PDB file of all heavy atoms in Angstrom:
ATOM      1  N   LEU A  20     155.432 167.787 -63.450  1.00 97.00           N
ATOM      2  CA  LEU A  20     155.188 166.758 -62.392  1.00 97.00           C
ATOM      3  C   LEU A  20     156.445 165.973 -62.079  1.00 97.00           C
ATOM      4  O   LEU A  20     156.417 165.265 -61.014  1.00 97.00           O
ATOM      5  CB  LEU A  20     154.077 165.800 -62.925  1.00 97.00           C
ATOM      6  CG  LEU A  20     152.691 166.502 -63.162  1.00 97.00           C
ATOM      7  CD1 LEU A  20     151.703 165.424 -63.588  1.00 97.00           C
ATOM      8  CD2 LEU A  20     152.202 167.254 -62.004  1.00 97.00           C
ATOM      9  N   ASN A  21     157.546 166.068 -62.883  1.00 96.00           N
ATOM     10  CA  ASN A  21     158.683 165.307 -62.519  1.00 96.00           C
ATOM     11  C   ASN A  21     159.504 165.891 -61.320  1.00 96.00           C
ATOM     12  O   ASN A  21     160.387 165.325 -60.778  1.00 96.00           O
ATOM     13  CB  ASN A  21     159.589 165.152 -63.688  1.00 96.00           C
ATOM     14  CG  ASN A  21     160.496 166.375 -64.014  1.00 96.00           C
ATOM     15  OD1 ASN A  21     159.934 167.474 -63.923  1.00 96.00           O
ATOM     16  ND2 ASN A  21     161.687 166.202 -64.409  1.00 96.00           N
ATOM     17  N   ARG A  22     159.147 167.150 -60.933  1.00 97.00           N
ATOM     18  CA  ARG A  22     159.970 167.721 -59.905  1.00 97.00           C
ATOM     19  C   ARG A  22     159.157 168.731 -58.989  1.00 97.00           C
ATOM     20  O   ARG A  22     159.735 169.232 -58.055  1.00 97.00           O
ATOM     21  CB  ARG A  22     161.226 168.434 -60.498  1.00 97.00           C
ATOM     22  CG  ARG A  22     160.780 169.703 -61.256  1.00 97.00           C
ATOM     23  CD  ARG A  22     161.958 170.148 -62.144  1.00 97.00           C
ATOM     24  NE  ARG A  22     161.573 171.367 -62.958  1.00 97.00           N
ATOM     25  CZ  ARG A  22     160.770 171.382 -64.017  1.00 97.00           C
ATOM     26  NH1 ARG A  22     160.394 170.236 -64.486  1.00 97.00           N
ATOM     27  NH2 ARG A  22     160.515 172.499 -64.569  1.00 97.00           N
ATOM     28  N   GLN A  23     157.969 169.105 -59.368  1.00 97.00           N
ATOM     29  CA  GLN A  23     157.265 170.129 -58.657  1.00 97.00           C
ATOM     30  C   GLN A  23     156.187 169.484 -57.838  1.00 97.00           C
ATOM     31  O   GLN A  23     155.633 168.411 -58.152  1.00 97.00           O
ATOM     32  CB  GLN A  23     156.596 171.057 -59.687  1.00 97.00           C
ATOM     33  CG  GLN A  23     157.748 171.810 -60.510  1.00 97.00           C
ATOM     34  CD  GLN A  23     157.171 172.864 -61.451  1.00 97.00           C
ATOM     35  OE1 GLN A  23     156.082 173.302 -61.304  1.00 97.00           O
ATOM     36  NE2 GLN A  23     158.032 173.206 -62.450  1.00 97.00           N
ATOM     37  N   GLN A  24     155.741 170.148 -56.761  1.00 98.00           N
ATOM     38  CA  GLN A  24     154.815 169.611 -55.851  1.00 98.00           C
ATOM     39  C   GLN A  24     153.331 169.767 -56.179  1.00 98.00           C
ATOM     40  O   GLN A  24     152.531 170.447 -55.447  1.00 98.00           O
ATOM     41  CB  GLN A  24     155.114 170.200 -54.386  1.00 98.00           C
ATOM     42  CG  GLN A  24     156.429 169.783 -53.799  1.00 98.00           C
ATOM     43  CD  GLN A  24     156.444 168.335 -53.461  1.00 98.00           C
ATOM     44  OE1 GLN A  24     155.394 167.654 -53.300  1.00 98.00           O
ATOM     45  NE2 GLN A  24     157.653 167.720 -53.472  1.00 98.00           N
ATOM     46  N   TYR A  25     153.062 169.288 -57.356  1.00 98.00           N
ATOM     47  CA  TYR A  25     151.667 169.319 -57.818  1.00 98.00           C
ATOM     48  C   TYR A  25     151.202 167.858 -58.188  1.00 98.00           C
ATOM     49  O   TYR A  25     152.044 166.990 -58.219  1.00 98.00           O
ATOM     50  CB  TYR A  25     151.522 170.206 -59.048  1.00 98.00           C
ATOM     51  CG  TYR A  25     151.954 171.649 -58.750  1.00 98.00           C
ATOM     52  CD1 TYR A  25     153.151 172.131 -59.197  1.00 98.00           C
ATOM     53  CD2 TYR A  25     151.127 172.457 -58.053  1.00 98.00           C
ATOM     54  CE1 TYR A  25     153.599 173.413 -58.912  1.00 98.00           C
ATOM     55  CE2 TYR A  25     151.536 173.800 -57.687  1.00 98.00           C
ATOM     56  CZ  TYR A  25     152.736 174.219 -58.172  1.00 98.00           C
ATOM     57  OH  TYR A  25     153.167 175.434 -57.828  1.00 98.00           O
ATOM     58  N   LYS A  26     149.890 167.705 -58.373  1.00 97.00           N
ATOM     59  CA  LYS A  26     149.352 166.404 -58.663  1.00 97.00           C
ATOM     60  C   LYS A  26     148.830 166.351 -60.117  1.00 97.00           C
ATOM     61  O   LYS A  26     148.431 167.433 -60.737  1.00 97.00           O
ATOM     62  CB  LYS A  26     148.187 166.100 -57.714  1.00 97.00           C
ATOM     63  CG  LYS A  26     148.566 166.287 -56.268  1.00 97.00           C
ATOM     64  CD  LYS A  26     147.316 166.232 -55.455  1.00 97.00           C
ATOM     65  CE  LYS A  26     147.584 166.646 -53.999  1.00 97.00           C
ATOM     66  NZ  LYS A  26     146.368 166.675 -53.140  1.00 97.00           N
ATOM     67  N   ALA A  27     148.734 165.146 -60.687  1.00 98.00           N
ATOM     68  CA  ALA A  27     148.127 165.023 -62.048  1.00 98.00           C
ATOM     69  C   ALA A  27     146.776 165.586 -62.115  1.00 98.00           C
ATOM     70  O   ALA A  27     146.323 166.109 -63.135  1.00 98.00           O
ATOM     71  CB  ALA A  27     148.214 163.531 -62.483  1.00 98.00           C
ATOM     72  N   SER A  28     146.041 165.471 -61.029  1.00 98.00           N
ATOM     73  CA  SER A  28     144.654 166.001 -61.013  1.00 98.00           C
ATOM     74  C   SER A  28     144.646 167.512 -60.989  1.00 98.00           C
ATOM     75  O   SER A  28     143.521 168.074 -61.211  1.00 98.00           O
ATOM     76  CB  SER A  28     143.908 165.500 -59.737  1.00 98.00           C
ATOM     77  OG  SER A  28     144.574 165.948 -58.548  1.00 98.00           O
ATOM     78  N   GLN A  29     145.704 168.182 -60.821  1.00 98.00           N
ATOM     79  CA  GLN A  29     145.786 169.698 -60.874  1.00 98.00           C
ATOM     80  C   GLN A  29     146.207 170.307 -62.154  1.00 98.00           C
ATOM     81  O   GLN A  29     146.410 171.469 -62.251  1.00 98.00           O
ATOM     82  CB  GLN A  29     146.690 170.154 -59.722  1.00 98.00           C
ATOM     83  CG  GLN A  29     146.143 169.808 -58.352  1.00 98.00           C
ATOM     84  CD  GLN A  29     146.995 170.204 -57.212  1.00 98.00           C
ATOM     85  OE1 GLN A  29     148.252 169.995 -57.272  1.00 98.00           O
ATOM     86  NE2 GLN A  29     146.478 170.909 -56.237  1.00 98.00           N
ATOM     87  N   LEU A  30     146.400 169.494 -63.213  1.00 98.00           N
ATOM     88  CA  LEU A  30     146.854 170.028 -64.445  1.00 98.00           C
ATOM     89  C   LEU A  30     145.917 171.098 -64.998  1.00 98.00           C
ATOM     90  O   LEU A  30     144.703 170.887 -64.905  1.00 98.00           O
ATOM     91  CB  LEU A  30     146.940 168.908 -65.537  1.00 98.00           C
ATOM     92  CG  LEU A  30     148.127 167.815 -65.237  1.00 98.00           C
ATOM     93  CD1 LEU A  30     147.971 166.732 -66.413  1.00 98.00           C
ATOM     94  CD2 LEU A  30     149.453 168.451 -65.232  1.00 98.00           C
ATOM     95  N   GLY A  31     146.487 172.205 -65.414  1.00 98.00           N
ATOM     96  CA  GLY A  31     145.704 173.291 -65.870  1.00 98.00           C
ATOM     97  C   GLY A  31     145.315 174.333 -64.797  1.00 98.00           C
ATOM     98  O   GLY A  31     144.902 175.488 -65.196  1.00 98.00           O
ATOM     99  N   LEU A  32     145.417 174.027 -63.577  1.00 98.00           N
ATOM    100  CA  LEU A  32     145.165 174.982 -62.526  1.00 98.00           C
ATOM    101  C   LEU A  32     146.229 175.992 -62.370  1.00 98.00           C
ATOM    102  O   LEU A  32     147.407 175.704 -62.699  1.00 98.00           O
ATOM    103  CB  LEU A  32     144.881 174.201 -61.227  1.00 98.00           C
ATOM    104  CG  LEU A  32     143.786 173.182 -61.141  1.00 98.00           C
ATOM    105  CD1 LEU A  32     143.718 172.646 -59.741  1.00 98.00           C
ATOM    106  CD2 LEU A  32     142.504 173.794 -61.514  1.00 98.00           C
ATOM    107  N   LYS A  33     145.895 177.171 -61.866  1.00 98.00           N
ATOM    108  CA  LYS A  33     146.918 178.185 -61.571  1.00 98.00           C
ATOM    109  C   LYS A  33     147.831 177.617 -60.420  1.00 98.00           C
ATOM    110  O   LYS A  33     147.312 177.084 -59.395  1.00 98.00           O
ATOM    111  CB  LYS A  33     146.219 179.482 -61.205  1.00 98.00           C
ATOM    112  CG  LYS A  33     145.513 180.146 -62.335  1.00 98.00           C
ATOM    113  CD  LYS A  33     144.957 181.521 -62.019  1.00 98.00           C
ATOM    114  CE  LYS A  33     144.411 182.237 -63.184  1.00 98.00           C
ATOM    115  NZ  LYS A  33     143.812 183.528 -62.874  1.00 98.00           N
ATOM    116  N   LYS A  34     149.094 177.769 -60.571  1.00 98.00           N
ATOM    117  CA  LYS A  34     150.044 177.215 -59.584  1.00 98.00           C
ATOM    118  C   LYS A  34     149.822 177.757 -58.210  1.00 98.00           C
ATOM    119  O   LYS A  34     149.905 177.044 -57.188  1.00 98.00           O
ATOM    120  CB  LYS A  34     151.447 177.413 -60.054  1.00 98.00           C
ATOM    121  CG  LYS A  34     151.821 176.483 -61.182  1.00 98.00           C
ATOM    122  CD  LYS A  34     153.402 176.673 -61.443  1.00 98.00           C
ATOM    123  CE  LYS A  34     153.790 175.694 -62.539  1.00 98.00           C
ATOM    124  NZ  LYS A  34     155.290 175.843 -62.822  1.00 98.00           N
ATOM    125  N   ALA A  35     149.536 179.086 -58.091  1.00 98.00           N
ATOM    126  CA  ALA A  35     149.397 179.689 -56.767  1.00 98.00           C
ATOM    127  C   ALA A  35     148.245 179.063 -55.995  1.00 98.00           C
ATOM    128  O   ALA A  35     148.344 178.784 -54.864  1.00 98.00           O
ATOM    129  CB  ALA A  35     149.215 181.210 -56.931  1.00 98.00           C
ATOM    130  N   GLN A  36     147.118 178.865 -56.704  1.00 98.00           N
ATOM    131  CA  GLN A  36     145.950 178.327 -55.957  1.00 98.00           C
ATOM    132  C   GLN A  36     146.182 176.819 -55.794  1.00 98.00           C
ATOM    133  O   GLN A  36     145.806 176.307 -54.681  1.00 98.00           O
ATOM    134  CB  GLN A  36     144.676 178.509 -56.861  1.00 98.00           C
ATOM    135  CG  GLN A  36     143.386 178.060 -56.147  1.00 98.00           C
ATOM    136  CD  GLN A  36     143.183 178.692 -54.827  1.00 98.00           C
ATOM    137  OE1 GLN A  36     143.283 179.945 -54.745  1.00 98.00           O
ATOM    138  NE2 GLN A  36     142.971 177.979 -53.754  1.00 98.00           N
ATOM    139  N   ALA A  37     146.729 176.043 -56.766  1.00 98.00           N
ATOM    140  CA  ALA A  37     146.912 174.625 -56.516  1.00 98.00           C
ATOM    141  C   ALA A  37     147.874 174.334 -55.445  1.00 98.00           C
ATOM    142  O   ALA A  37     147.674 173.450 -54.630  1.00 98.00           O
ATOM    143  CB  ALA A  37     147.503 174.033 -57.885  1.00 98.00           C
ATOM    144  N   LEU A  38     148.979 175.184 -55.295  1.00 98.00           N
ATOM    145  CA  LEU A  38     149.882 174.912 -54.153  1.00 98.00           C
ATOM    146  C   LEU A  38     149.295 175.304 -52.906  1.00 98.00           C
ATOM    147  O   LEU A  38     149.512 174.636 -51.848  1.00 98.00           O
ATOM    148  CB  LEU A  38     151.205 175.789 -54.453  1.00 98.00           C
ATOM    149  CG  LEU A  38     152.316 175.499 -53.484  1.00 98.00           C
ATOM    150  CD1 LEU A  38     152.684 174.053 -53.414  1.00 98.00           C
ATOM    151  CD2 LEU A  38     153.529 176.353 -53.786  1.00 98.00           C
ATOM    152  N   LYS A  39     148.512 176.405 -52.906  1.00 98.00           N
ATOM    153  CA  LYS A  39     147.789 176.730 -51.585  1.00 98.00           C
ATOM    154  C   LYS A  39     146.935 175.598 -51.141  1.00 98.00           C
ATOM    155  O   LYS A  39     146.953 175.256 -49.999  1.00 98.00           O
ATOM    156  CB  LYS A  39     146.964 178.001 -51.913  1.00 98.00           C
ATOM    157  CG  LYS A  39     146.115 178.403 -50.657  1.00 98.00           C
ATOM    158  CD  LYS A  39     145.247 179.625 -50.957  1.00 98.00           C
ATOM    159  CE  LYS A  39     144.414 180.037 -49.673  1.00 98.00           C
ATOM    160  NZ  LYS A  39     143.608 181.230 -50.003  1.00 98.00           N
ATOM    161  N   ASP A  40     146.187 174.911 -52.029  1.00 98.00           N
ATOM    162  CA  ASP A  40     145.400 173.840 -51.691  1.00 98.00           C
ATOM    163  C   ASP A  40     146.257 172.705 -51.139  1.00 98.00           C
ATOM    164  O   ASP A  40     145.872 172.087 -50.079  1.00 98.00           O
ATOM    165  CB  ASP A  40     144.521 173.297 -52.913  1.00 98.00           C
ATOM    166  CG  ASP A  40     143.553 174.338 -53.373  1.00 98.00           C
ATOM    167  OD1 ASP A  40     143.173 175.241 -52.691  1.00 98.00           O
ATOM    168  OD2 ASP A  40     143.106 174.181 -54.576  1.00 98.00           O
ATOM    169  N   ASN A  41     147.348 172.433 -51.756  1.00 98.00           N
ATOM    170  CA  ASN A  41     148.187 171.310 -51.273  1.00 98.00           C
ATOM    171  C   ASN A  41     148.757 171.631 -49.856  1.00 98.00           C
ATOM    172  O   ASN A  41     148.891 170.778 -48.977  1.00 98.00           O
ATOM    173  CB  ASN A  41     149.303 171.020 -52.265  1.00 98.00           C
ATOM    174  CG  ASN A  41     148.782 170.529 -53.543  1.00 98.00           C
ATOM    175  OD1 ASN A  41     147.677 170.026 -53.610  1.00 98.00           O
ATOM    176  ND2 ASN A  41     149.558 170.569 -54.571  1.00 98.00           N
ATOM    177  N   LEU A  42     149.152 172.889 -49.673  1.00 98.00           N
ATOM    178  CA  LEU A  42     149.739 173.250 -48.339  1.00 98.00           C
ATOM    179  C   LEU A  42     148.704 173.227 -47.207  1.00 98.00           C
ATOM    180  O   LEU A  42     148.995 172.778 -46.112  1.00 98.00           O
ATOM    181  CB  LEU A  42     150.303 174.660 -48.438  1.00 98.00           C
ATOM    182  CG  LEU A  42     151.523 174.844 -49.331  1.00 98.00           C
ATOM    183  CD1 LEU A  42     151.917 176.327 -49.425  1.00 98.00           C
ATOM    184  CD2 LEU A  42     152.658 174.051 -49.003  1.00 98.00           C
ATOM    185  N   LEU A  43     147.472 173.580 -47.559  1.00 97.00           N
ATOM    186  CA  LEU A  43     146.449 173.521 -46.527  1.00 97.00           C
ATOM    187  C   LEU A  43     146.025 172.077 -46.163  1.00 97.00           C
ATOM    188  O   LEU A  43     145.460 171.844 -45.125  1.00 97.00           O
ATOM    189  CB  LEU A  43     145.194 174.280 -47.045  1.00 97.00           C
ATOM    190  CG  LEU A  43     145.369 175.814 -47.079  1.00 97.00           C
ATOM    191  CD1 LEU A  43     144.169 176.510 -47.610  1.00 97.00           C
ATOM    192  CD2 LEU A  43     145.729 176.402 -45.660  1.00 97.00           C
ATOM    193  N   GLU A  44     146.389 171.114 -47.034  1.00 96.00           N
ATOM    194  CA  GLU A  44     146.157 169.727 -46.669  1.00 96.00           C
ATOM    195  C   GLU A  44     147.240 169.317 -45.661  1.00 96.00           C
ATOM    196  O   GLU A  44     147.004 168.427 -44.811  1.00 96.00           O
ATOM    197  CB  GLU A  44     146.259 168.801 -47.941  1.00 96.00           C
ATOM    198  CG  GLU A  44     145.097 169.018 -48.906  1.00 96.00           C
ATOM    199  CD  GLU A  44     145.182 167.939 -49.956  1.00 96.00           C
ATOM    200  OE1 GLU A  44     145.789 166.916 -49.812  1.00 96.00           O
ATOM    201  OE2 GLU A  44     144.614 168.248 -51.040  1.00 96.00           O
ATOM    202  N   ILE A  45     148.409 169.971 -45.705  1.00 96.00           N
ATOM    203  CA  ILE A  45     149.429 169.619 -44.705  1.00 96.00           C
ATOM    204  C   ILE A  45     149.238 170.358 -43.399  1.00 96.00           C
ATOM    205  O   ILE A  45     149.295 169.750 -42.334  1.00 96.00           O
ATOM    206  CB  ILE A  45     150.850 170.062 -45.367  1.00 96.00           C
ATOM    207  CG1 ILE A  45     151.223 169.243 -46.538  1.00 96.00           C
ATOM    208  CG2 ILE A  45     151.899 170.029 -44.271  1.00 96.00           C
ATOM    209  CD1 ILE A  45     152.388 169.766 -47.350  1.00 96.00           C
ATOM    210  N   ASN A  46     148.883 171.628 -43.502  1.00 94.00           N
ATOM    211  CA  ASN A  46     148.613 172.409 -42.336  1.00 94.00           C
ATOM    212  C   ASN A  46     147.446 173.356 -42.594  1.00 94.00           C
ATOM    213  O   ASN A  46     147.521 174.400 -43.176  1.00 94.00           O
ATOM    214  CB  ASN A  46     149.874 173.302 -41.915  1.00 94.00           C
ATOM    215  CG  ASN A  46     149.646 173.955 -40.644  1.00 94.00           C
ATOM    216  OD1 ASN A  46     148.491 174.132 -40.115  1.00 94.00           O
ATOM    217  ND2 ASN A  46     150.758 174.489 -40.021  1.00 94.00           N
ATOM    218  N   PRO A  47     146.219 172.950 -42.159  1.00 95.00           N
ATOM    219  CA  PRO A  47     145.073 173.751 -42.557  1.00 95.00           C
ATOM    220  C   PRO A  47     144.895 175.035 -41.764  1.00 95.00           C
ATOM    221  O   PRO A  47     144.043 175.768 -42.096  1.00 95.00           O
ATOM    222  CB  PRO A  47     143.858 172.814 -42.101  1.00 95.00           C
ATOM    223  CG  PRO A  47     144.472 171.873 -40.991  1.00 95.00           C
ATOM    224  CD  PRO A  47     145.936 171.661 -41.426  1.00 95.00           C
ATOM    225  N   TYR A  48     145.868 175.373 -40.979  1.00 95.00           N
ATOM    226  CA  TYR A  48     145.814 176.553 -40.193  1.00 95.00           C
ATOM    227  C   TYR A  48     146.863 177.691 -40.548  1.00 95.00           C
ATOM    228  O   TYR A  48     146.975 178.646 -39.954  1.00 95.00           O
ATOM    229  CB  TYR A  48     145.940 176.306 -38.676  1.00 95.00           C
ATOM    230  CG  TYR A  48     144.955 175.273 -38.236  1.00 95.00           C
ATOM    231  CD1 TYR A  48     145.338 173.936 -37.939  1.00 95.00           C
ATOM    232  CD2 TYR A  48     143.582 175.540 -38.198  1.00 95.00           C
ATOM    233  CE1 TYR A  48     144.392 173.026 -37.600  1.00 95.00           C
ATOM    234  CE2 TYR A  48     142.635 174.574 -37.888  1.00 95.00           C
ATOM    235  CZ  TYR A  48     143.097 173.268 -37.525  1.00 95.00           C
ATOM    236  OH  TYR A  48     142.125 172.340 -37.195  1.00 95.00           O
ATOM    237  N   LEU A  49     147.554 177.342 -41.691  1.00 96.00           N
ATOM    238  CA  LEU A  49     148.431 178.348 -42.305  1.00 96.00           C
ATOM    239  C   LEU A  49     147.660 179.483 -42.815  1.00 96.00           C
ATOM    240  O   LEU A  49     146.541 179.395 -43.263  1.00 96.00           O
ATOM    241  CB  LEU A  49     149.230 177.730 -43.436  1.00 96.00           C
ATOM    242  CG  LEU A  49     150.326 176.737 -43.141  1.00 96.00           C
ATOM    243  CD1 LEU A  49     150.830 176.159 -44.439  1.00 96.00           C
ATOM    244  CD2 LEU A  49     151.487 177.432 -42.379  1.00 96.00           C
ATOM    245  N   HIS A  50     148.279 180.676 -42.769  1.00 98.00           N
ATOM    246  CA  HIS A  50     147.724 181.820 -43.539  1.00 98.00           C
ATOM    247  C   HIS A  50     148.454 181.951 -44.834  1.00 98.00           C
ATOM    248  O   HIS A  50     149.674 182.169 -44.837  1.00 98.00           O
ATOM    249  CB  HIS A  50     147.917 183.056 -42.694  1.00 98.00           C
ATOM    250  CG  HIS A  50     147.428 184.371 -43.381  1.00 98.00           C
ATOM    251  ND1 HIS A  50     148.062 185.553 -43.333  1.00 98.00           N
ATOM    252  CD2 HIS A  50     146.228 184.531 -44.060  1.00 98.00           C
ATOM    253  CE1 HIS A  50     147.406 186.425 -44.028  1.00 98.00           C
ATOM    254  NE2 HIS A  50     146.234 185.818 -44.499  1.00 98.00           N
ATOM    255  N   ILE A  51     147.783 181.736 -45.948  1.00 98.00           N
ATOM    256  CA  ILE A  51     148.394 181.759 -47.248  1.00 98.00           C
ATOM    257  C   ILE A  51     147.767 182.828 -48.115  1.00 98.00           C
ATOM    258  O   ILE A  51     146.578 182.900 -48.224  1.00 98.00           O
ATOM    259  CB  ILE A  51     148.233 180.417 -47.877  1.00 98.00           C
ATOM    260  CG1 ILE A  51     148.937 179.310 -47.098  1.00 98.00           C
ATOM    261  CG2 ILE A  51     148.893 180.390 -49.292  1.00 98.00           C
ATOM    262  CD1 ILE A  51     148.714 177.901 -47.623  1.00 98.00           C
ATOM    263  N   VAL A  52     148.646 183.681 -48.657  1.00 98.00           N
ATOM    264  CA  VAL A  52     148.208 184.718 -49.640  1.00 98.00           C
ATOM    265  C   VAL A  52     148.724 184.260 -50.987  1.00 98.00           C
ATOM    266  O   VAL A  52     149.942 184.106 -51.216  1.00 98.00           O
ATOM    267  CB  VAL A  52     148.778 186.077 -49.281  1.00 98.00           C
ATOM    268  CG1 VAL A  52     148.359 187.093 -50.292  1.00 98.00           C
ATOM    269  CG2 VAL A  52     148.374 186.489 -47.855  1.00 98.00           C
ATOM    270  N   ALA A  53     147.811 183.898 -51.882  1.00 98.00           N
ATOM    271  CA  ALA A  53     148.147 183.401 -53.231  1.00 98.00           C
ATOM    272  C   ALA A  53     147.915 184.495 -54.335  1.00 98.00           C
ATOM    273  O   ALA A  53     146.759 185.027 -54.490  1.00 98.00           O
ATOM    274  CB  ALA A  53     147.389 182.158 -53.561  1.00 98.00           C
ATOM    275  N   HIS A  54     149.019 184.783 -55.029  1.00 98.00           N
ATOM    276  CA  HIS A  54     148.941 185.845 -56.147  1.00 98.00           C
ATOM    277  C   HIS A  54     149.215 185.077 -57.473  1.00 98.00           C
ATOM    278  O   HIS A  54     150.339 184.609 -57.674  1.00 98.00           O
ATOM    279  CB  HIS A  54     149.880 186.879 -55.938  1.00 98.00           C
ATOM    280  CG  HIS A  54     149.645 187.728 -54.754  1.00 98.00           C
ATOM    281  ND1 HIS A  54     148.552 188.566 -54.631  1.00 98.00           N
ATOM    282  CD2 HIS A  54     150.397 187.968 -53.623  1.00 98.00           C
ATOM    283  CE1 HIS A  54     148.619 189.213 -53.457  1.00 98.00           C
ATOM    284  NE2 HIS A  54     149.756 188.819 -52.816  1.00 98.00           N
ATOM    285  N   SER A  55     148.308 185.055 -58.367  1.00 98.00           N
ATOM    286  CA  SER A  55     148.514 184.578 -59.713  1.00 98.00           C
ATOM    287  C   SER A  55     148.887 185.643 -60.674  1.00 98.00           C
ATOM    288  O   SER A  55     148.262 186.068 -61.615  1.00 98.00           O
ATOM    289  CB  SER A  55     147.268 183.777 -60.199  1.00 98.00           C
ATOM    290  OG  SER A  55     146.972 182.655 -59.433  1.00 98.00           O
ATOM    291  N   ASP A  56     150.092 186.297 -60.322  1.00 97.00           N
ATOM    292  CA  ASP A  56     150.493 187.447 -61.052  1.00 97.00           C
ATOM    293  C   ASP A  56     151.950 187.284 -61.547  1.00 97.00           C
ATOM    294  O   ASP A  56     152.725 186.568 -60.837  1.00 97.00           O
ATOM    295  CB  ASP A  56     150.450 188.682 -60.133  1.00 97.00           C
ATOM    296  CG  ASP A  56     149.051 189.083 -59.678  1.00 97.00           C
ATOM    297  OD1 ASP A  56     148.295 189.557 -60.536  1.00 97.00           O
ATOM    298  OD2 ASP A  56     148.737 188.817 -58.568  1.00 97.00           O
ATOM    299  N   ARG A  57     152.371 187.944 -62.625  1.00 97.00           N
ATOM    300  CA  ARG A  57     153.726 188.017 -63.076  1.00 97.00           C
ATOM    301  C   ARG A  57     154.412 189.120 -62.277  1.00 97.00           C
ATOM    302  O   ARG A  57     153.961 190.275 -62.261  1.00 97.00           O
ATOM    303  CB  ARG A  57     153.809 188.305 -64.520  1.00 97.00           C
ATOM    304  CG  ARG A  57     155.233 188.192 -65.069  1.00 97.00           C
ATOM    305  CD  ARG A  57     155.305 188.685 -66.501  1.00 97.00           C
ATOM    306  NE  ARG A  57     154.578 187.762 -67.395  1.00 97.00           N
ATOM    307  CZ  ARG A  57     155.122 186.683 -67.939  1.00 97.00           C
ATOM    308  NH1 ARG A  57     156.401 186.406 -67.714  1.00 97.00           N
ATOM    309  NH2 ARG A  57     154.388 185.923 -68.723  1.00 97.00           N
ATOM    310  N   ILE A  58     155.486 188.807 -61.599  1.00 97.00           N
ATOM    311  CA  ILE A  58     156.172 189.815 -60.755  1.00 97.00           C
ATOM    312  C   ILE A  58     156.993 190.776 -61.674  1.00 97.00           C
ATOM    313  O   ILE A  58     157.722 190.363 -62.543  1.00 97.00           O
ATOM    314  CB  ILE A  58     157.185 189.108 -59.799  1.00 97.00           C
ATOM    315  CG1 ILE A  58     156.357 188.288 -58.790  1.00 97.00           C
ATOM    316  CG2 ILE A  58     157.966 190.034 -59.000  1.00 97.00           C
ATOM    317  CD1 ILE A  58     157.196 187.432 -57.870  1.00 97.00           C
ATOM    318  N   THR A  59     156.830 192.024 -61.342  1.00 96.00           N
ATOM    319  CA  THR A  59     157.595 193.071 -62.004  1.00 96.00           C
ATOM    320  C   THR A  59     158.269 193.947 -60.928  1.00 96.00           C
ATOM    321  O   THR A  59     157.930 193.818 -59.723  1.00 96.00           O
ATOM    322  CB  THR A  59     156.731 193.965 -62.891  1.00 96.00           C
ATOM    323  OG1 THR A  59     155.758 194.672 -62.086  1.00 96.00           O
ATOM    324  CG2 THR A  59     155.911 193.092 -63.886  1.00 96.00           C
ATOM    325  N   GLU A  60     159.149 194.746 -61.334  1.00 94.00           N
ATOM    326  CA  GLU A  60     159.751 195.732 -60.433  1.00 94.00           C
ATOM    327  C   GLU A  60     158.756 196.650 -59.816  1.00 94.00           C
ATOM    328  O   GLU A  60     158.850 197.045 -58.624  1.00 94.00           O
ATOM    329  CB  GLU A  60     160.827 196.458 -61.127  1.00 94.00           C
ATOM    330  CG  GLU A  60     161.747 197.303 -60.189  1.00 94.00           C
ATOM    331  CD  GLU A  60     162.887 198.023 -60.826  1.00 94.00           C
ATOM    332  OE1 GLU A  60     163.119 197.680 -62.094  1.00 94.00           O
ATOM    333  OE2 GLU A  60     163.577 198.812 -60.236  1.00 94.00           O
TER     334      GLU A  60
END
């Protein structure tokens, strides 16, 4: 919370979904694809 764009109320949530929710508050008409996956080659 000291540097990332999340809220105290979102503790424990998956970052991809939490950030998606925050972005849709800014612009509800964005197309957002959220993946809660570890990236590999």
